[in-house]
Amino acid sequence: MKPNPWEWGVTSFGSSCRPQIQFADQKQEFNKRPSKIGRRSLSRSISQSSTDSYSSAASYTDSSDDETSPRDKQQKNSKGNGDFCIKNIKQADFGRREIEIAEQEMPALMALRKRAQGEKPLAGAKVVGCTHITAQTAVLMETLSALGAQCRWAACNIYSTQNEVAAALAEGGFSVFAWKGESEDDFWWCIDRCVNVEGWQPNMILDDGGDLTHWIYKKYPNMFKKIKGIVEEIRECSGKLSVPAMNVNDSVTKQKFDNLYCCRESILDGLKRTTDVMFGGKQVVVCGYGEVGKGCCAALKAMGSIVYVTEIDPICALQACMDGFRLVKLNEVIRQVDIVITCTGNKNVVVRENLDRMKNGCIVCNMGHSNTEIDVASLRTPELTWERVRSQVDHVIWPDGKRIVLLAEVHTHTHTHCALALIELYNAPEGRYKQDVYLLPKKMDEYVASLHLPTFDAHLTELSDEQAKYLGLNKNGPFKPNYYRYVKNKVGHQPSPSKPRVHPGFSRQPGL
């Protein structure tokens, strides 16, 4: 009999390393409301828009003339519920169509919803979330609801929210507090409205970036007494965790599927939609040759671009060379390239000195997990002019007339992994997970991959009893040992039922 995927777990772990989430200094005065839209001074958001890889290039609401703050509006859905704060509830029908389209491109999550909704593995779960509010996230939220969870949600980025999708969620009964173009004050106000509600205590956190976790820790620390775990795309960790956390960003299928194959398609899609650029003959430098960088380089090379790669890791660098790419330092090619793409997850990869030396019309965009890679703050100086060209596209103009094209970040999110990680942490028996950061159990990682296979009419070969015994494996997996990593130096460890093992590295990895 095949095991229930949400019953997979472990019995013993090593816990000698206790990584913690590290946050930037953040404001906590959220009652003052500025009259103008401000800029959020956080690592997750820069002074440009950000979106998931399959989000619409131009939001339905971009041309809206309504400048009234959603905080000043009294809105209710068709059932009379007003426990939300969004731009315009009247856009719900349009948002619903976007969600339905997204469902067609998320077969694994839809398969999980179909398989598990009868058992309600999240019955009783009260999930407070802070992620990008897009059609893809809406599919995740509705899946969690179908599996029994109650959800309250805010946006992790002030620019990426699809207002029409937020309206559809609110119309569907979800407590959503998000709109595109929030000020920093609005951002923290929305998070507080998610958390601080009479008669509702969250017991699970789903957090993209750590801002929600930080807010609860600073303002409502007693809530952690009832919170069973955190599911998060964790980047930098330090300090002490009071509950278990599962790092879904570094799961194997996220790295090998989303980061490689999805980014291979989304880089072309994102650039085409926002700039209408032709790739043939263009000189492109891709910073970082991890999974995201590999996908970007493969797509650009196939379109006829001349691709250069920058790397700090000699192993990734050797891979780039063996794949036929020229390994360079950024300053060696910065004057001649037409496109600069960052894929490192690091900070200050492209700095003002690089930006000053770029040619007229150079396109600069970020594909990495956090948008600190391009030093956009250095461009906010009096001598430079910013011109909004279209949604998610800015021209930055120098005094001599030179301009660069600055794009929003494009990346993918681990929606199926998030759902399974929530199920795992919520249903784990007492003591299974300590106050550490964990990777998704490899058995569950393989389950995520298996959910995608029916889409391709793919048929897995099964081991015979003799073959399984020869390899020392269970016929149903997992098929790789816990120490086997597709990427290195990731945040979190993957526990084993037979031998405790702490993941060997917690430092930032050079390429995503």
Side-chain angles (χ1 to χ4, degrees):
M1 184 176 70
K2 292 185 178 180
N4 253 341
W6 35 89
E7 292 178 356
W8 292 323
V10 297
T11 55
S12 62
F13 312 95
S15 57
S16 59
C17 295
R18 299 183 181 272
Q20 294 198 347
I21 305 169
Q22 181 178 2
F23 303 94
D25 291 337
Q26 298 159 342
K27 292 183 181 178
Q28 294 187 18
E29 298 86 3
F30 57 93
N31 291 321
K32 293 194 301 178
R33 193 177 316 166
S35 59
K36 299 285 185 179
I37 291 178
R39 295 196 305 275
R40 179 182 161 207
S41 57
L42 306 172
S43 63
R44 288 290 307 160
S45 176
I46 56 179
S47 302
Q48 54 177 323
S49 55
S50 171
T51 184
D52 289 324
S53 57
Y54 296 108
S55 300
S56 300
S59 172
Y60 175 77
T61 58
D62 283 348
S63 60
S64 173
D65 294 325
D66 184 7
E67 296 299 328
T68 305
S69 170
R71 291 167 63 175
D72 294 329
K73 296 179 182 179
Q74 293 293 326
Q75 301 184 78
K76 294 184 181 296
N77 63 16
S78 61
K79 297 181 181 179
N81 178 24
D83 187 22
F84 59 86
C85 190
I86 60 172
K87 187 70 173 178
N88 188 352
I89 189 65
K90 295 179 181 178
Q91 296 166 0
D93 288 343
F94 182 81
R96 177 51 52 188
R97 291 194 292 273
E98 294 233 356
I99 295 170
E100 290 170 354
I101 292 172
E103 288 177 349
Q104 303 303 312
E105 294 298 322
M106 304 178 72
L109 196 59
M110 296 303 293
L112 176 64
R113 184 190 299 187
K114 183 178 180 180
R115 293 185 188 187
Q117 62 183 355
E119 301 177 39
K120 303 291 184 186
L122 289 177
K126 295 182 178 180
V127 183
V128 59
C130 184
T131 66
H132 295 274
I133 304 294
T134 63
Q136 292 74 31
T137 302
V139 178
L140 169 64
M141 292 171 63
E142 291 181 348
T143 298
L144 298 180
S145 178
L147 301 187
Q150 298 178 29
C151 300
R152 296 180 68 85
W153 229 263
C156 71
N157 186 286
I158 65 175
Y159 289 108
S160 64
T161 298
Q162 292 176 269
N163 287 333
E164 63 276 14
V165 171
L169 288 168
E171 177 59 32
F174 287 91
S175 299
V176 178
F177 301 87
W179 58 93
K180 186 174 183 177
E182 298 170 8
S183 67
E184 181 173 338
D185 175 66
D186 293 331
F187 172 80
W188 294 115
W189 181 87
C190 287
I191 287 180
D192 194 74
R193 283 292 304 272
C194 276
V195 176
N196 185 20
V197 55
E198 187 176 352
W200 197 88
Q201 158 76 55
N203 53 26
M204 295 296 297
I205 295 174
L206 201 165
D207 197 1
D208 184 0
D211 296 320
L212 171 62
T213 306
H214 175 70
W215 187 257
I216 296 175
Y217 176 78
K218 298 293 287 186
K219 298 286 291 185
Y220 310 104
N222 288 335
M223 283 189 176
F224 280 107
K225 294 178 180 178
K226 294 186 178 181
I227 290 174
K228 299 189 68 173
I230 303 168
V231 174
E232 185 168 11
E233 296 209 30
I234 296 170
R235 291 181 298 283
E236 295 185 22
C237 296
S238 66
K240 180 176 282 189
L241 287 173
S242 58
V243 295
M246 193 163 284
N247 172 14
V248 296
N249 183 63
D250 298 327
S251 59
V252 174
T253 40
K254 169 62 165 67
Q255 291 291 328
K256 301 301 290 186
F257 181 77
D258 288 356
N259 284 7
L260 178 58
Y261 300 111
C262 292
C263 289
R264 188 174 66 184
E265 300 209 15
S266 65
I267 183 60
L268 301 180
D269 173 66
L271 287 171
K272 281 286 189 184
R273 282 190 290 105
T274 53
T275 67
D276 302 312
V277 67
M278 291 187 65
F279 295 104
K282 290 292 192 300
Q283 296 193 58
V284 185
V285 59
V286 176
C287 302
Y289 202 68
E291 301 306 323
V292 173
K294 288 180 175 68
C296 291
C297 289
L300 293 164
K301 182 179 181 180
M303 294 298 291
S305 298
I306 302 165
V307 183
Y308 305 96
V309 172
T310 71
E311 247 304 339
I312 65 167
D313 185 332
I315 295 176
C316 291
L318 181 58
Q319 287 180 306
C321 293
M322 295 297 290
D323 288 335
F325 299 109
R326 172 102 180 272
L327 190 75
V328 299
K329 292 183 178 180
L330 184 59
N331 60 12
E332 295 172 354
V333 296
I334 196 63
R335 289 187 182 275
Q336 68 195 60
V337 294
D338 303 290
I339 304 173
V340 178
I341 302 170
T342 56
C343 310
T344 70
N346 206 337
K347 67 177 183 178
N348 295 333
V349 176
V350 178
V351 295
R352 178 62 186 267
E353 178 185 357
N354 305 132
L355 296 161
D356 285 337
R357 297 177 62 202
M358 289 177 183
K359 66 192 292 187
N360 182 47
C362 184
I363 298 169
V364 185
C365 72
N366 172 48
M367 282 287 293
H369 186 64
S370 73
N371 45 16
T372 57
E373 303 188 46
I374 303 167
D375 186 11
V376 176
S378 69
L379 297 176
R380 294 288 181 180
T381 53
E383 74 274 11
L384 300 183
T385 302
W386 283 65
E387 182 180 273
R388 173 54 57 93
V389 180
R390 60 174 71 167
S391 177
Q392 307 173 50
V393 184
D394 286 296
H395 283 184
V396 183
I397 307 169
W398 270 251
D400 63 358
K402 183 196 87 169
R403 65 181 61 201
I404 65 169
V405 184
L406 191 61
L407 305 185
E409 67 173 322
V410 182
H411 55 263
T412 56
H413 285 279
T414 60
H415 297 97
T416 309
H417 300 81
C418 287
L420 286 172
L422 282 169
I423 292 170
E424 170 68 12
L425 284 177
Y426 182 69
N427 291 282
E430 186 75 25
R432 173 177 289 177
Y433 291 100
K434 310 301 180 183
Q435 296 174 0
D436 279 322
V437 179
Y438 295 89
L439 296 176
L440 199 67
K442 196 164 259 85
K443 179 67 177 177
M444 195 172 291
D445 229 336
E446 292 175 356
Y447 179 67
V448 172
S450 72
L451 290 174
H452 285 87
L453 293 178
T455 306
F456 305 99
D457 192 27
H459 305 277
L460 279 173
T461 300
E462 295 185 6
L463 291 172
S464 67
D465 292 336
E466 183 181 2
Q467 288 173 323
K469 182 178 180 180
Y470 179 77
L471 293 176
L473 297 175
N474 186 301
K475 291 176 65 174
N476 297 317
F479 298 98
K480 295 290 189 295
N482 282 330
Y483 61 79
Y484 184 91
R485 296 303 304 150
Y486 293 80
V487 290
K488 71 184 189 64
N489 288 343
K490 287 311 208 171
V491 178
H493 65 276
Q494 200 165 45
S496 165
S498 57
K499 182 165 66 173
R501 177 181 177 82
V502 176
H503 191 269
F506 293 96
S507 62
R508 290 308 308 260
Q509 104 149 10
L512 290 178

